[in-house]
Amino acid sequence: GVQTCALPISNGLAKTGLTDLARRAGFSVRTARRAVKQLVDLELAKPVLRGRKGSGPSVYRVAGIGRPGTAAG
């Protein structure tokens, strides 16, 4: 099934760490990692910046969320 959870998205960018994503969705971190990989594989999300512990969260461009100045935004 499809699980949804609210993520902070601004200008088509989602910024979140796997731990936060897992907590929001009620998943394990491992399941959250697999879900993000599936979204990337399906081209529904594109990594913009890979986060690391101590350097901030990962940033993904989310498909279907318009950027300012575009028809969808």
Side-chain angles (χ1 to χ4, degrees):
V2 175
Q3 176 77 25
T4 61
C5 65
L7 290 177
I9 297 176
S10 176
N11 296 326
L13 298 175
K15 301 175 186 180
T16 188
L18 285 174
T19 303
D20 183 50
L21 178 62
R23 180 186 56 78
R24 288 171 183 259
F27 291 158
S28 69
V29 173
R30 185 174 176 185
T31 298
R33 184 178 294 117
R34 283 194 307 260
V36 169
K37 182 183 181 317
Q38 287 179 327
L39 291 172
V40 171
D41 290 348
L42 292 169
E43 299 182 0
L44 296 174
K46 179 180 179 181
V48 174
L49 177 68
R50 294 284 185 177
R52 289 190 299 260
K53 193 171 187 175
S55 68
S58 294
V59 179
Y60 295 90
R61 176 150 316 275
V62 180
I65 306 290
R67 297 179 210 162
T70 65

